[in-house]
Each structure stands twice: as C-alpha cells, then as structure tokens.
Amino acid sequence: MLNLMFLTQQGGILKPFAWIMGKILNAIYELVSLVGIHNIAICIVIFTLVIKMLMLPLTIKQQKFSKLSSKMNPELTRIQEKYKGKKDEASVRKQQMEIQEVYDKYGTNPIGGCLPLLITFPILFALIRVIYAVPAYINDVRDLYLGIANVVQGVEGYSTLINDFITNNQIVLQIKFSEDPISAIHLVDVFSNFNMFNWSNFFEIEQFAAIQNVVTNIDGLTVNEVVSQIEHINSFILGMNILDRPGWQFPGILIPIIATVFYYLQSKLAMSSNAGSTVDNPGMQTMKMMNTVMPVISGIFCVFIPIGVGIYWIAGSALQVLQQIFINRYMDKIDVDELIEKSVAKSNKRKAKMGIETGTKMASVAKTSTKGIDTKDTYEQPLKKPTPPTSGKKGGENYKRRDISYSASNIAANANILKDRDKGEK
C-alpha cells in the first residue's frame, strides 16, 4: 500500500511542494464529500482560497515593500546616475556602499519584495503536477481507478491492448513503465490521463467493451458506473473536463480569456497602490510594462495547460483582486514615515541578533571589502614580540601561547578608511 501511494506522485525538487498540495487537496475533497459534493474543480477553488489566505501576510509584506520603494527608488536612481559609466573598482565599491546605505536607511533589502513570488511559482508548478496525477494524492479518486484496473487485469492480453491504445490515441504519460503485464498501479497512471473521449474509444475495443457491466469492488458499482463517477468528479461547467486543454474552441477558450481579464485587473490594482513610485524609476516603469504584457502571456499559456490549472489561475486572480482592494485601503491608512521607522527598527534588531553593530563607522567600513586597498606605506612595521619571562615554567608556557604572528593588512585597510573619512568630516 505504501508503494501505491507514492509511486505515481511527483518526484524531484517539486516533490515536497506537490506532497503538501496533495495533502491539502485530499483534505478538502474529503471535507466537501461529507456534504455530497464530489468534484475536483470545486476543490481547486476552495484550495486556492486556502492558499491565498495563508499567503496573505506575505502579500501585505510585499505591498509594504512597494510602499517603501516609492520613497526609496528616487534615491537609488540618483546614485545609479551618479556612477553611470564608471566601471573602475573604487567607483563600483562606492556605489555599492551608497546603495546599501539607502537600503539601511529604510530598513529593507533588495530582495524584500521577491519572497511571495519565490513561493508562488513552486506552488503553481507543484499544483500542475498534482492535477496531472490526481489519483496519486486524493484517496477516494484513486480507489475508483483501482476498481477499474482490477477488472481490466482480468482481460486476456490486456497489456498489449493498453500499450496499443496509448500509442494510437497519443496519450502522454507522466510516468513511464515497462513491466509486462502492466501492474494495477500503472493502469491507474494510464486511466488518470483519460478524458471522456478516451473512455469512449477505450470501450470500442471488443475485449474492454465486454467488461463495461462487470461489477467492481467499489460499492457494487459496474465499470460503466465507476467511469461515470470519474467523469463527474473531473467535470466543469459547460461540459468541460479539468484534464482537457482549453484549446481555441468554445467553450474551452473561455478559460484563457477569463484568466487574462482577472490577471489584468489584479495587475492594475497592484500598480495603483504604488502609483507614485513610477516617477524617475526605470525599474517601476519596466514593471508597469510587464503588468500589461504578462496577462496576455498567461492567457496564451492557459490555452495549452489542463483546464484544472486554468481554474486555479482564475480563482487565484479573482481572489487576489478582492484582496488587493482591501489591501489598498489598508495601505492608504499607513503613514510612510512610521512604516520606515518600524522597518528600520526590525532591521536593526535582526542585525543585532547576527552580531552586526549598527550606527557606527566601523559597521559601515565592515561592509567594504579591503581586497585591493594599498597598505604598503601604512602599518608595515611588524608587531614587537613580547619579552619572554626570565624564569618560571608556567610563565614560559604563557609566553609560547602568546608568541603568534599577526597580519596587519586588513586592520590597516580599515584604519585607512576611517582616517580618510575623518579628514572628510573635518
């Protein structure tokens, strides 16, 4: 039973994300089943709501970072203009220091707004894998497919017939298998890729047509009745199936169109909350252009992926629109100066835990690499060794322990920086 649960699941780097997504989706399916609802599309919508609510703190954090950026970006732009075209090591180092000072001033860092994206993408790709292998993650659905697989295994020569069917119908399997006869586990892998047209073609084969009325071990249902349940579980509005790709025909084309519209609305609302940050800020201008182009790209992308993923995309964008409306109202009430003060306090507290001293010259000097700084004319004299004690074994041991060699290059470099800075201040 352990192999049955894990053999068809996603592997590789996405495995832990897919495992978590699968567990949540399975829990939602079992919960809605208690009220008589057996539909994956509805579960995906509820699942999206759960994920969006869990990620709400990160979304608010990203919006706060964007609000800080509206004040911070003009300063960063001036620094970039100041050192434009300067490629020498000293200029690059000074530019990096000044940029870091701006980030310190506002208590943030260059990757502060990227965390939600870094989490969203693994969730999206993991969900795609889960939808491709729903029976591997949702127990009740897996049992339905197993009921059919057990009956199919009773058909003479079923492995050859299945392989021929896969080839003739151009079914792309996510997991390859080579055993003969094909195991029940891998039959589930095959059947989980069937849409209603595949099932119809499947039962046109004489040997499989004969098993349609055979009773399975699933509540005394026949194979035909189990297939009907599976089709109902995978169904969506207007006769669509979550395993199908929308394509360019009606009604499937509605999925990418609706996904594009909601993605665009979401992008517009996100930009409106930071309207002032686009001034003198090429980065935000680029982001504005991306928010115009990306909805179209996402719509085209939805044409070629399963409808189930498109449902997640639409539900996510629709919920994000509602979230963004309330977040914008919340952010409008936040004073920027107060936000900066809190951000700096958190940053200093975090640095204190890491042992980084803030508010001192040496703290800023410590950020500068001393590599390449000339120290030949300063502090070149070696440190004088302490005079050894004239007597006492214990004293001699202490002397040996202190008799070590010190390198003055790094100390000298930092001292030179402090010296030059003091001259400038005077």
Side-chain angles (χ1 to χ4, degrees), residues 77-91:
T77 302
R78 285 194 292 270
I79 294 173
Q80 291 169 353
E81 289 294 326
K82 176 182 176 181
Y83 291 96
K84 188 176 182 179
K86 296 180 181 180
K87 304 296 183 182
D88 58 286
E89 184 181 352
S91 297

Side-chain angles (χ1 to χ4, degrees), residues 67-338:
K67 198 171 185 71
L68 288 175
S69 296
S70 65
K71 300 280 287 185
M72 181 174 62
N73 284 329
E75 298 183 34
L76 295 175
T77 302
R78 285 194 292 270
I79 294 173
Q80 291 169 353
E81 289 294 326
K82 176 182 176 181
Y83 291 96
K84 188 176 182 179
K86 296 180 181 180
K87 304 296 183 182
D88 58 286
E89 184 181 352
S91 297
V92 171
R93 188 185 303 124
K94 288 180 181 178
Q95 182 182 6
Q96 291 174 345
M97 285 186 63
E98 290 183 26
I99 289 175
Q100 184 60 50
E101 285 175 358
V102 172
Y103 281 115
D104 289 345
K105 175 183 175 182
Y106 291 92
T108 185
N109 60 76
I111 62 172
C114 300
L115 186 58
L117 288 177
L118 294 176
I119 295 177
T120 299
F121 281 114
I123 288 176
L124 175 61
F125 291 124
L127 180 63
I128 292 175
R129 307 317 306 168
V130 170
I131 290 175
Y132 271 122
V134 164
Y137 297 94
I138 300 183
N139 300 331
D140 291 348
V141 177
R142 183 183 68 239
D143 291 341
L144 290 174
Y145 282 104
L146 270 177
I148 300 175
N150 291 331
V151 175
V152 168
Q153 283 185 309
V155 175
E156 185 177 354
Y158 75 90
S159 291
T160 301
L161 293 171
I162 290 291
N163 281 316
D164 290 343
F165 183 83
I166 291 171
T167 303
N168 295 336
N169 289 268
Q170 298 180 337
I171 295 174
V172 179
L173 300 178
Q174 305 305 311
I175 297 177
K176 305 298 181 182
F177 56 86
S178 57
E179 69 265 89
D180 187 12
I182 302 173
S183 67
I185 296 170
H186 284 141
L187 283 176
V188 172
D189 294 331
V190 175
F191 297 150
S192 65
N193 288 275
F194 281 17
N195 56 31
M196 58 183 177
F197 299 107
N198 294 139
W199 282 116
S200 178
N201 293 336
F202 182 75
F203 289 122
E204 287 181 0
I205 299 172
E206 181 180 353
Q207 291 88 334
F208 296 135
I211 66 170
Q212 292 184 77
N213 294 316
V214 174
V215 177
T216 68
N217 58 351
I218 307 299
D219 299 328
L221 300 175
T222 65
V223 171
N224 257 341
E225 290 170 334
V226 174
V227 170
S228 296
Q229 280 202 9
I230 291 173
E231 289 180 353
H232 173 73
I233 287 171
N234 292 332
S235 66
F236 191 48
I237 57 173
L238 300 176
M240 289 185 280
N241 186 297
I242 65 168
L243 299 177
D244 291 337
R245 291 168 176 76
W248 302 99
Q249 304 296 322
F250 181 86
I253 192 62
L254 292 176
I255 298 296
I257 290 175
I258 296 173
T260 301
V261 171
F262 276 111
Y263 199 129
Y264 178 76
L265 290 175
Q266 172 190 338
S267 302
K268 290 291 289 184
L269 283 170
M271 288 298 296
S272 67
S273 66
N274 302 289
S277 62
T278 57
V279 181
D280 298 326
N281 183 11
M284 289 302 295
Q285 293 291 347
T286 302
M287 183 64 71
K288 185 177 180 180
M289 182 185 68
M290 290 294 293
N291 285 339
T292 302
V293 174
M294 284 304 295
V296 178
I297 295 176
S298 68
I300 296 173
F301 185 62
C302 278
V303 173
F304 304 102
I305 59 177
I307 287 174
V309 181
I311 294 170
Y312 169 78
W313 215 307
I314 291 171
S317 295
L319 291 170
Q320 187 66 42
V321 167
L322 294 176
Q323 277 189 355
Q324 195 66 56
I325 292 172
F326 289 103
I327 289 174
N328 286 355
R329 292 179 180 177
Y330 168 72
M331 295 303 295
D332 288 341
K333 297 177 182 179
I334 294 180
D335 181 73
V336 179
D337 294 331
E338 182 180 347

Side-chain angles (χ1 to χ4, degrees), residues 365 368-370 373 412-422:
V365 170
T368 308
S369 172
T370 58
I373 298 178
N414 286 336
N416 281 337
I417 295 173
L418 287 173
K419 181 179 177 182
D420 293 340
R421 185 172 295 185
D422 287 338

Side-chain angles (χ1 to χ4, degrees), residues 34-95:
L34 296 176
V35 293
I37 298 175
H38 303 275
N39 190 273
I40 301 296
I42 293 175
C43 292
I44 289 174
V45 173
I46 299 173
F47 168 85
T48 307
L49 175 62
V50 171
I51 294 299
K52 286 296 180 183
M53 293 307 297
L54 290 175
M55 291 185 63
L56 182 59
L58 289 177
T59 304
I60 294 175
K61 183 177 181 180
Q62 185 184 36
Q63 293 296 311
K64 287 182 178 179
F65 177 83
S66 297
K67 198 171 185 71
L68 288 175
S69 296
S70 65
K71 300 280 287 185
M72 181 174 62
N73 284 329
E75 298 183 34
L76 295 175
T77 302
R78 285 194 292 270
I79 294 173
Q80 291 169 353
E81 289 294 326
K82 176 182 176 181
Y83 291 96
K84 188 176 182 179
K86 296 180 181 180
K87 304 296 183 182
D88 58 286
E89 184 181 352
S91 297
V92 171
R93 188 185 303 124
K94 288 180 181 178
Q95 182 182 6

